[in-house]
Amino acid sequence: MIISVASGKGGTGKTTIAVNLALSVQPSVYIDCDVEEPNGHILLKPTISSQKDVAKKFPKVNLNKCTFCGKCSELCEFNAIVVLKTDVMILEELCHGCGVCSYFCPEHAIEEIEKNTGVIRKGTVSSKAVTFIEGVLNIGETHGAQLIRHVRKEIIPGQINIIDAPPGTSCSMVASVKDSDFCILVTESTPFGLNDLKLAIQVVRSLGIPFGIIINKYDEKYLDLDKYCCDDKTPILLKIPFDRKIAEYYSQGTPVVFVMPQWKELFRQVFTNIKSIIQNHEIIVDERL
Ligand code: SF4
Ligand code: SF4
């Protein structure tokens, strides 16, 4: 089973939810796909047992073969290759390493070279009941999606895999949540939270993934969010009120389920609800076939 935890915006407590869920439904696999800023390790404090480099493909032009026809530039949908009269420039920040330019170059003037983009680290959390996996993007690298695709190859079939996705609705978020059995969208009780939640809902809906909401720092005076979820028939899985104690434990790097056992029960209940939503979703999809 793959459960991804995403949020329309940063700072909603997405990692806290992913970590506490992984600790509540052990044995589980926690996978940090927030490769630009992975911080699940701060809470889980895993013992790392292996680390491997991940390379991305990158085009290199042989100017001795190039006729400066401009075809590669025309075909690059990311505007990452610029053909001048006597030179070809690759804009590294824009290049997604898709290989289209080298495939279609009529002179075979472009070869794909490998460039180190980040690492994947694996380990276990002290109880050994949680497997820890994270991707860490190299400083200066701007595209996490390729690394995320490599990280996702580490998903362990037959186990409960909890994916901590990057915030926002970028291609990195899509690469992280794609093919999940369920997506938890974490939001907070503010107009900004609601606005970004709507965008995140659009993305997971377009991917056909069943989803539910966890509202962090729930404010019962802000009713727009509840009303939206009710009108949209979006299930609210959990409301976590602002609690100074929880915030203090978080700032000390302590998962709340370690010190407040009642939260472990609540996260287990969330997991039970998720399983029944997935089952109902499968029945609906079957009936449509
Ligand atoms: S398609 Fe090939 S030959 Fe044409 S400009 Fe690009 S690298 Fe040069
Ligand atoms: S590899 Fe893809 S993204 Fe990069 S320059 Fe070539 S066509 Fe553009």
Side-chain angles (χ1 to χ4, degrees):
M1 176 188 289
I2 305 170
I3 299 173
S4 49
V5 184
S7 62
K9 73 190 244 327
T12 55
K14 168 185 62 62
T15 294
T16 309
I17 303 295
V19 163
N20 282 291
L21 182 62
L23 289 168
S24 302
V25 296
Q26 305 178 28
S28 62
V29 186
Y30 168 84
I31 304 172
D32 201 341
C33 282
D34 191 357
V35 296
E36 285 182 38
E37 212 175 331
N39 53 16
H41 64 96
I42 298 170
L43 293 165
L44 286 168
K45 303 178 183 60
T47 304
I48 299 298
S49 51
S50 70
Q51 175 165 320
K52 66 176 175 190
D53 291 334
V54 177
K56 72 170 181 183
K57 303 258 190 227
F58 191 70
K60 187 174 175 216
V61 180
N62 181 343
L63 292 177
N64 293 325
K65 285 185 176 178
C66 176
T67 57
F68 309 100
C69 67
K71 189 159 185 125
C72 51
S73 180
E74 273 168 41
L75 291 174
C76 177
E77 63 173 303
F78 303 104
N79 300 319
I81 190 160
V82 180
V83 180
L84 306 171
K85 272 188 184 161
T86 57
D87 200 3
V88 179
M89 287 166 59
I90 313 282
L91 307 176
E92 199 173 327
E93 317 78 61
L94 300 180
C95 176
H96 282 56
C98 66
V100 164
C101 52
S102 64
Y103 187 82
F104 287 102
C105 170
E107 308 300 330
H108 304 291
I110 303 178
E111 67 168 319
E112 287 189 283
I113 56 168
E114 298 228 311
K115 190 167 175 281
N116 201 320
T117 184
V119 293
I120 295 176
R121 306 193 319 145
K122 291 169 81 172
T124 47
V125 177
S126 57
S127 64
K128 298 212 179 350
V130 178
T131 303
F132 175 88
I133 299 166
E134 72 172 357
V136 186
L137 198 65
N138 285 349
I139 292 168
E141 285 287 335
T142 46
H143 296 296
Q146 275 196 53
L147 175 59
I148 289 165
R149 283 191 275 276
H150 283 278
V151 176
R152 284 194 49 131
K153 287 182 188 157
E154 305 292 336
I155 285 171
I156 303 178
Q159 296 211 19
I160 304 166
N161 293 271
I162 312 284
I163 292 183
D164 190 348
T169 49
S170 64
C171 52
S172 290
M173 180 268 199
V174 173
S176 301
V177 307
K178 218 171 114 207
D179 302 325
S180 297
D181 295 297
F182 191 86
C183 184
I184 297 173
L185 294 172
V186 184
T187 188
E188 56 188 22
S189 292
T190 64
F192 288 124
L194 175 55
N195 179 63
D196 294 335
L197 174 69
K198 287 179 187 171
L199 298 174
I201 286 177
Q202 276 178 23
V203 173
V204 286
R205 238 185 214 136
S206 68
L207 293 169
I209 302 169
F211 60 93
I213 312 296
I214 289 185
I215 307 175
N216 199 15
K217 295 177 211 144
Y218 179 68
D219 178 357
E220 56 189 14
K221 290 189 207 115
Y222 183 73
L223 291 174
D224 290 7
L225 185 53
D226 296 73
K227 186 176 176 321
Y228 176 79
C229 290
C230 179
D231 293 347
D232 195 54
K233 296 189 175 54
T234 292
I236 298 176
L237 301 164
L238 186 64
K239 294 173 180 176
I240 304 175
F242 178 76
D243 181 332
R244 200 180 165 82
K245 257 191 189 161
I246 295 177
E248 277 172 14
Y249 287 131
Y250 176 75
S251 67
Q252 291 160 9
T254 306
V256 68
V257 297
F258 281 165
V259 282
M260 297 168 85
Q262 65 272 31
W263 283 102
K264 198 173 215 172
E265 253 337 290
L266 288 169
F267 277 104
R268 282 186 180 151
Q269 189 56 51
V270 166
F271 180 64
T272 304
N273 291 345
I274 287 173
K275 279 196 294 186
S276 84
I277 294 173
I278 292 172
Q279 275 167 4
N280 287 337
H281 182 78
E282 281 167 0
I283 290 167
I284 292 166
V285 170
D286 273 359
E287 280 171 355
R288 281 184 190 154
L289 287 174

